[in-house]
Amino acid sequence: MTRKFTGDQILVATHNKGKLEEMKTLLEPYGVKVVGAGELSLPEPEETEDTFVGNARIKAHAAAKATGLPALSDDSGITIDALNGAPGVYTADWAETGNGRDFMMAMTRANTELDAIKAPLPRTAQFRCTLVLAWPDGDDEVFEGVMPGQLIWPIRGAHGFGYDPMFQPDGETLTCAEMAPADKHKISHRGRAVAAFVKGCFGG
């Protein structure tokens, strides 16, 4: 049985402003105050696992232990079928420049690698999100969400963040970056993972 969340404040263990804003929006209807790890000046633990759930657990437990608050961590990324699931847990690493992250560079790399192997259309991919809710006593719960779709080129749209401009969800004609944020949240991998979290930990 899933352990219930009974507090009115939750720490989201991320320094990514885009992820934090999405989480605040998704959890707002449940009356939970969201605070980010960056706002508390928590250090970013090294992500040494090769799975989404492994890295999410590292971040969630580190934040819960440091603050004494329940901590919700998101590890997410894009898996591209023709690239054998890459970049996967290395999604953000593909954007790393040594002086911040450049997702235009990351998207260009993905398209270039697909072109190099002459990957056929549609170039199917999935956005994946794993949430781990960790308590200070060491307990945790895991929730997952997946949004299938395909990669398009050239990129389209100015909303969202990350790889959103090149990702067109199944059943949609717009990329994630062309959608209004509220429409994206309804179908996104993170929205689906949060829905599973809410159902499991709030009973709603």
Side-chain angles (χ1 to χ4, degrees):
M1 183 175 180
T2 304
R3 182 172 174 177
K4 301 301 181 183
F5 177 81
T6 58
D8 59 2
Q9 178 172 273
I10 193 165
L11 170 62
V12 175
T14 184
H15 289 70
N16 182 310
K17 292 182 179 179
K19 284 186 179 181
L20 182 62
E21 288 306 312
E22 280 199 358
M23 293 300 291
K24 285 182 176 180
T25 299
L26 290 165
L27 290 172
E28 184 179 16
Y30 302 96
V32 179
K33 181 182 178 182
V34 173
V35 60
E39 295 172 286
L40 298 182
S41 300
L42 297 180
E44 293 186 77
E46 185 177 359
E47 298 176 31
T48 56
E49 297 292 323
D50 59 3
T51 63
F52 291 125
V53 67
N55 285 325
R57 276 198 166 108
I58 288 173
K59 293 182 285 189
H61 283 285
K65 184 177 180 180
T67 64
L69 292 170
L72 184 66
S73 176
D74 162 319
D75 201 59
S76 55
I78 190 169
T79 52
I80 302 171
D81 293 330
L83 299 182
N84 298 314
V89 295
Y90 305 106
T91 293
D93 293 342
W94 278 27
E96 193 59 58
T97 66
N99 189 32
R101 290 174 179 168
D102 180 348
F103 280 98
M104 187 66 234
M105 178 182 75
M107 290 186 289
T108 300
R109 174 178 174 179
N111 188 64
T112 298
E113 292 197 12
L114 288 166
D115 283 347
I117 61 172
K118 296 181 171 59
L121 299 176
R123 293 173 168 179
T124 55
Q126 304 82 32
F127 268 133
R128 300 181 182 275
C129 173
T130 298
L131 295 178
V132 171
L133 177 65
W135 280 269
D137 62 11
D139 194 13
D140 69 40
E141 299 285 352
V142 178
F143 308 93
E144 296 179 309
V146 179
M147 176 170 56
Q150 62 179 295
L151 302 184
I152 60 94
W153 201 262
I155 63 171
R156 304 196 311 259
H159 298 298
F161 60 97
Y163 294 72
D164 283 358
M166 75 179 307
F167 189 87
Q168 181 175 306
D170 282 353
E172 303 292 333
T173 58
L174 303 177
T175 68
C176 286
E178 291 177 299
M179 295 178 177
D183 293 332
K184 174 191 167 185
H185 294 332
K186 291 176 184 176
I187 62 169
S188 76
H189 54 309
R190 189 164 293 109
R192 290 170 178 174
V194 168
F197 160 61
V198 168
K199 183 177 180 180
C201 291
F202 290 81

